[in-house]
Amino acid sequence: MRILVILLLSQLSFAQISGTVKDSKTNAFISYVNIAVENKDKGVSANENGAFLLPKLNENDILILSAVGFKPLKSKEIIGEVYLEQIILELKELSVTPRIGKNTLK
């Protein structure tokens, strides 16, 4: 009976993929990264330390990792640490002025 339980637990431990997501420049953990399987309704989110745990995937499954401020990453295989690259967007200048003819508070 003990051997059966040990074999069952060992199979469960191999049925999952774990890893962490980090910034490629600063090597800091990225919190709450979305990890989805392309063209399927499967996915998880990383925790506040960038750690995640995925169920076992099929050979043809492609993972998409995405987070605000980072370029999405597509990968067939994730082992250990995954690094995302920052996106830096420059926005045009925006000026705010009051409308003409409206009452203003003094």
Side-chain angles (χ1 to χ4, degrees):
M1 179 68 174
R2 288 183 186 175
I3 294 173
L4 181 61
V5 171
I6 291 171
L7 287 173
L8 183 62
L9 289 175
S10 68
Q11 289 298 321
L12 290 175
S13 67
F14 288 115
Q16 295 179 343
I17 300 168
S18 64
T20 55
V21 185
K22 292 184 174 185
D23 185 325
S24 63
K25 275 188 174 180
T26 64
N27 212 26
F29 295 111
I30 304 172
S31 302
Y32 310 112
V33 175
N34 295 313
I35 303 155
V37 180
E38 188 175 52
N39 299 324
K40 293 191 179 177
D41 293 334
K42 292 182 184 180
V44 297
S45 291
N47 66 13
E48 63 274 0
N49 297 323
F52 62 90
L53 190 64
L54 283 169
K56 187 165 172 68
L57 303 171
N58 297 330
E59 290 179 11
N60 298 331
D61 286 341
I62 297 174
L63 296 174
I64 302 172
L65 289 86
S66 61
V68 174
F70 293 88
K71 290 182 183 177
L73 174 70
K74 286 187 177 186
S75 177
K76 276 196 165 231
E77 188 175 319
I78 293 179
I79 299 173
E81 295 177 348
V82 180
Y83 294 90
L84 294 182
E85 191 177 331
Q86 292 181 9
I87 295 176
I88 299 173
L89 297 174
E90 291 189 28
L91 301 176
K92 294 181 181 179
E93 182 179 331
L94 175 70
S95 62
V96 179
T97 57
R99 286 197 256 174
I100 299 173
K102 293 287 182 184
N103 294 337
T104 58
L105 295 175
K106 293 184 181 181

